[in-house]
Amino acid sequence: MIIANTAYFFKKIQKVSLVIALLLLSVGSYAQYYSNKKFENRNNPNYDERRRFSYGFLIGLHNSSYRVKYADAYTSQGLDTLFSVEPSWTQGFVLGFIVNYRVNEFLDLRITPQVGFYEHQLTYRYTKLATNPPDNTQNIETTMVELPFIAKYKSVRRGNIRMYMLGAIKPGFEAGGKKDLDAQQTRLTVREFNLALEGGFGFDLYYPLFKFSPEIRFSRGISNLLKDSNNPFGQPLQSISTNTITLYLLFQ
């Protein structure tokens, strides 16, 4: 089982690495083309300097997974037929707006109010000794209203490109309340609030009428999302948190 999980993990890493490699390849070609034209053909040469506040919108595609930590009860006799609880990586997307404040030439502060659509999955695997085990797959769909607070550190602009790195803290609230309908006994329940730390990098590409910024961001939840540890799906777990990798496309 450990070997299978490791292979699955590396398959996901390979997919993410491919996306990052394609992004870097395209941006690298762009940068190389303009490297000898630092002061020629500059689109919007004063774009960053002429305004303190700037606005835009973003779309994002993400892969997200729960990270689980087992409780002491997992090793108890009452759960001796439960072999493992395995999270899966699932896809989703984000839509939002950008409010950017320019502190100086190399530092921006921004907030990006956004709505994220997530679907997380946990698979409960049982031993052959289990009789009539409950449904072993839990799908948790959430629509989150998120408000990342971001610090963006930028390099010197060269031609029509500049690289940047960022760090952020991202609180999120579930947009709609869950229906009870005996949910405490029929499925795993999670909390409506999440808090995550984020880091990433991207490139500002300057065009005649706008600025386009592809960005990779890594997010790690620091909140325990486990809401009910008394139902059959919550008993073996001590905590649940989130891991997310997102490709953002920003337009300003």
Side-chain angles (χ1 to χ4, degrees):
M1 184 61 65
I2 295 176
I3 296 176
N5 290 341
T6 304
Y8 181 77
F9 174 79
F10 278 108
K11 285 178 65 177
K12 285 297 180 182
I13 292 297
Q14 288 174 352
K15 291 181 180 180
V16 174
S17 299
L18 179 60
V19 172
I20 295 175
L22 291 175
L23 176 63
L24 293 177
L25 181 62
S26 61
V27 173
S29 299
Y30 187 95
Q32 184 177 9
Y33 178 77
Y34 284 101
S35 61
N36 296 325
K37 298 183 178 183
K38 183 176 179 180
F39 300 106
E40 299 178 15
N41 302 324
R42 287 168 64 95
N43 298 321
N44 282 320
N46 299 316
Y47 180 92
D48 294 319
E49 290 76 14
R50 69 189 180 193
R51 65 188 84 178
R52 282 289 181 182
F53 284 95
S54 58
Y55 308 92
F57 67 94
L58 62 85
I59 59 176
L61 301 174
H62 63 243
N63 264 14
S64 186
S65 174
Y66 279 150
R67 188 174 71 256
V68 300
K69 183 177 181 180
Y70 291 107
D72 293 338
Y74 172 67
T75 58
S76 66
Q77 186 174 359
L79 296 174
D80 59 355
T81 59
L82 177 64
F83 181 66
S84 65
V85 180
E86 300 176 4
S88 300
W89 287 89
T90 54
Q91 292 74 42
F93 65 97
V94 179
L95 301 172
F97 299 95
I98 305 166
V99 180
N100 190 88
Y101 175 72
R102 176 180 175 272
V103 178
N104 55 45
E105 181 181 359
F106 301 108
L107 179 63
D108 289 353
L109 299 178
R110 61 173 44 170
I111 57 175
T112 58
Q114 61 192 40
V115 178
F117 300 89
Y118 298 87
E119 180 180 357
H120 293 100
Q121 186 178 96
L122 289 177
T123 301
Y124 290 69
R125 301 194 181 279
Y126 296 86
T127 66
K128 294 181 180 180
L129 299 177
T131 57
N132 299 321
D135 182 11
N136 64 357
T137 300
Q138 292 292 293
N139 293 301
I140 300 130
E141 297 182 0
T142 53
T143 301
M144 303 294 292
V145 177
E146 300 169 329
L147 190 63
F149 295 88
I150 303 169
K152 173 183 175 182
Y153 181 73
K154 305 174 292 184
S155 69
V156 174
R157 175 175 173 175
R158 299 182 182 278
N160 290 315
I161 186 173
R162 76 193 310 169
M163 184 179 178
Y164 63 86
M165 297 167 45
L166 61 87
I169 184 169
K170 182 178 72 175
F173 304 86
E174 189 170 357
K178 294 182 176 66
K179 298 180 180 179
D180 281 336
L181 299 178
D182 296 328
Q184 301 296 324
Q185 298 300 323
T186 60
R187 64 181 176 86
L188 182 71
T189 56
V190 296
R191 300 183 188 278
E192 291 78 15
F193 173 78
N194 188 29
L195 184 66
L197 299 178
E198 297 192 319
F201 65 93
F203 299 87
D204 286 333
L205 308 178
Y206 296 83
Y207 290 88
L209 299 179
F210 64 94
K211 181 171 68 173
F212 169 61
S213 304
E215 176 181 301
I216 294 286
R217 204 182 300 174
F218 303 90
S219 176
R220 187 178 182 91
I222 57 176
S223 296
N224 181 6
L225 299 180
L226 182 61
K227 186 174 184 178
D228 184 8
S229 59
N230 295 319
N231 68 28
F233 300 106
Q235 285 179 0
L237 303 178
Q238 178 177 324
S239 65
I240 299 174
S241 54
T242 54
N243 277 332
T244 307
I245 304 172
T246 309
L247 171 63
Y248 284 98
L249 303 177
L250 298 87
F251 302 84
Q252 290 179 264

